């Protein structure tokens, strides 16, 4: 628990209980109710004395989870939930149900995003604010997921709204999610995706070396990448790849390079050859895996962008493999309800 460096509500709650002489096991009872989704409010934690329930509600608010469910959308394999924070900020969380029988959750780290990537609906919203560690973890631990007696998703990915590594609260959230004293998720089942916030990428692989990392590449050419991901001008792809080179050498953990394929923009033979060369130059190229993603039309994104054909995507993946690069096509779910990569905007963007 000492790893919690940001003063989340959990730290303040524990300090309050200690200062008022409440036994340590009472704090563990609160955490157990949160982890098991057996309570939505402090008043629901029947293991606590009534006066303590009342005191905690007065000091920390009545609810254990600082998010309200606003709306839900479904398609055949995906459930997307619109949450509202107490401040009114809105975020989206997506759960994908795979035929193999397991689920994966995609969580948001920011309301909106300030990086302005030209292919992304969230970037068109602009940054509303960073989410707190409690708001991030609430997406995973919210009782709505377990009300029907279903297990929690087998994996969690920071691939929702926002640039995860631009929000310092993400580190505290990762500790809350992976610490056995709190949510206790296996770190290897947690993925953090970034477009290349290099200083915090270095911090991530140092503090959470077992967490899976995905770096968005989207172009092997600096100028073209900067047109897609403006952060390239501040933290170049080469700087981020150097961080990952050191990480794979010490951890021997596989890392992922996401490549969003946009028709006529970054899907040509020159792009393919340069991307393959970029991977082969790595210190341990066998530990770098390219995930090729077919572009999804997104509200607020550059209107000239188009999705390539499925055949072209498959051909691009085959071309990488033919050049000795580990590559697969990432399966896309939820495009019909704006729940796929780059489409989340929490209804801040409305047509018309």
């Amino acid at each position: 628990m000492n790893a919690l460096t940001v003063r989340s509500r959990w730290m303040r709650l524990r300090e309050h209980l200690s200062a008022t002489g409440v036994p340590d096991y009472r704090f563990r009872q609160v955490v157990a109710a949160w982890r098991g989704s057996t309570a939505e409010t402090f008043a629901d934690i029947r293991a606590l004395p009534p006066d303590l329930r009342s005191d905690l509600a007065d000091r920390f608010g009545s609810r254990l989870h600082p998010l309200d469910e606003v709306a839900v959308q479904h398609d055949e394999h995906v459930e997307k939930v619109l949450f509202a924070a107490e401040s009114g900020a809105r975020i989206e969380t997506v759960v994908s149900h795979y035929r193999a029988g397991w689920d994966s959750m995609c969580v948001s780290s920011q309301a909106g995003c300030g990086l302005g990537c030209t292919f992304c609906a969230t970037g068109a919203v602009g940054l509303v604010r960073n989410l707190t560690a409690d708001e991030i973890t609430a997406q995973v631990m919210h009782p709505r997921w377990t009300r029907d007696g279903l297990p929690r998703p087998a994996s969690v990915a920071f691939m929702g709204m926002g640039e995860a590594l631009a929000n310092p609260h993400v580190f505290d959230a990762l500790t809350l999610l992976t610490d056995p004293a709190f949510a206790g998720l296996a770190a290897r089942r947690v993925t953090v995706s970034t477009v290349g916030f290099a200083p915090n990428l270095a911090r991530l692989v140092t503090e959470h070396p077992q967490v899976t990392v995905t770096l968005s590449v989207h172009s092997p050419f600096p100028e073209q990448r900067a047109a897609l991901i403006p952060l390239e001008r501040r933290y170049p792809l080469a700087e981020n790849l150097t961080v990952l080179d050191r990480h794979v050498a010490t951890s021997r953990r596989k890392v992922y390079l996401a490549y969003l394929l946009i028709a006529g923009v970054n899907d040509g033979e020159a792009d393919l050859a340069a991307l393959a060369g970029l991977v082969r130059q790595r210190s341990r190229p066998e530990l770098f895996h390219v995930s090729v993603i077919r572009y999804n039309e997104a509200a607020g994104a550059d209107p000239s962008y188009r999705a390539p054909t499925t055949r072209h995507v498959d051909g691009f993946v085959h071309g990488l493999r033919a050049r000795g690069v580990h590559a697969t096509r990432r399966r896309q779910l939820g495009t019909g309800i704006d729940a796929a990569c780059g489409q989340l905007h929490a209804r801040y963007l409305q047509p018309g």
Side-chain angles (χ1 to χ4, degrees):
M1 297 183 192
N2 292 334
L4 299 179
T5 56
V6 178
R7 289 182 58 81
S8 73
R9 185 169 68 157
W10 288 108
M11 178 173 282
R12 292 183 285 110
L13 189 151
R14 185 178 59 181
E15 289 175 349
H16 169 69
L17 292 177
S18 177
T20 53
V22 176
D24 288 345
Y25 73 86
R26 293 299 189 192
F27 178 74
R28 293 194 293 271
Q29 287 175 324
V30 177
V31 173
W34 169 79
R35 183 172 54 232
S37 293
T38 57
E40 294 193 36
T41 68
F42 286 109
D44 296 330
I45 309 177
R46 297 302 177 182
L48 300 180
D51 59 340
L52 181 55
R53 283 181 253 154
S54 178
D55 175 60
L56 293 178
D58 288 343
R59 288 181 174 272
F60 299 99
S62 63
R63 296 180 301 159
L64 294 180
H65 306 275
L67 296 177
D68 285 322
E69 179 185 326
V70 175
V72 182
Q73 290 180 276
H74 299 268
D75 73 3
E76 184 179 0
H77 300 290
V78 169
E79 181 176 11
K80 182 174 73 170
V81 178
L82 175 66
F83 285 115
E86 293 172 352
S87 68
R90 291 172 292 169
I91 58 171
E92 289 177 325
T93 306
V94 177
V95 173
S96 299
H97 309 284
Y98 293 91
R99 292 192 182 95
W102 60 281
D103 296 339
S104 177
M105 180 181 289
C106 183
V107 300
S108 294
S109 55
Q110 297 177 313
C113 181
L115 298 188
C117 297
T118 56
F119 51 83
C120 180
T122 311
V125 170
L127 180 64
V128 179
R129 69 169 175 84
N130 284 331
L131 299 184
T132 67
D134 298 315
E135 290 166 340
I136 295 169
T137 55
Q139 295 171 72
V140 181
M141 307 305 291
H142 201 283
R144 76 153 331 272
W145 306 116
T146 55
R147 282 180 189 139
D148 296 330
L150 298 174
R152 293 198 186 282
S155 62
V156 173
F158 284 70
M159 293 183 176
M161 298 178 69
E163 163 56 46
L165 295 185
N167 180 359
H169 301 309
V170 161
F171 295 93
D172 201 33
L174 286 170
T175 299
L176 286 169
L177 288 172
T178 59
D179 190 329
F182 287 92
L185 300 178
R188 292 188 175 209
R189 303 299 298 175
V190 177
T191 297
V192 175
S193 179
T194 178
V195 297
F197 209 93
N200 279 349
L201 178 59
R203 179 182 172 187
L204 174 70
V205 298
T206 299
E207 295 183 9
H208 297 278
Q210 296 304 306
V211 165
T212 300
V213 177
T214 295
L215 172 65
S216 294
V217 175
H218 303 349
S219 174
F221 303 118
E223 285 302 314
Q224 184 186 62
R225 186 171 189 268
L228 298 168
I229 304 172
L231 191 65
E232 164 73 17
R233 301 194 188 280
R234 184 177 177 190
Y235 300 120
L237 176 62
E239 183 178 347
N240 288 276
L241 289 173
T242 297
V243 172
L244 293 184
D245 274 334
R246 292 196 298 264
H247 172 56
V248 300
T250 56
S251 71
R252 299 183 182 179
R253 293 275 288 135
K254 181 187 291 187
V255 298
Y256 293 84
L257 304 178
Y259 195 89
L260 184 69
L261 209 61
I262 306 172
V265 175
N266 62 351
D267 62 339
E269 283 297 318
D271 303 286
L272 173 60
L275 176 62
L278 202 67
V279 176
R280 290 199 304 267
Q281 292 168 16
R282 311 278 45 93
S283 59
R284 296 286 302 274
E286 74 279 8
L287 293 177
F288 285 77
H289 186 104
V290 179
S291 292
V292 179
I293 309 163
R294 186 171 182 257
Y295 172 69
N296 302 301
E297 291 189 10
D302 187 320
S304 70
Y305 291 167
R306 295 288 182 268
T309 65
T310 299
R311 181 177 180 181
H312 190 66
V313 177
D314 291 340
F316 197 90
V317 172
H318 178 76
L320 289 172
R321 291 174 177 170
R323 290 166 171 80
V325 174
H326 297 297
T328 52
R329 176 184 176 184
R330 184 187 295 176
R331 186 182 178 196
Q332 292 282 76
L333 301 176
T335 55
I337 57 171
D338 288 344
C341 295
Q343 293 185 317
L344 300 183
H345 57 78
R347 304 184 185 177
Y348 286 103
L349 296 172
Q350 298 292 349

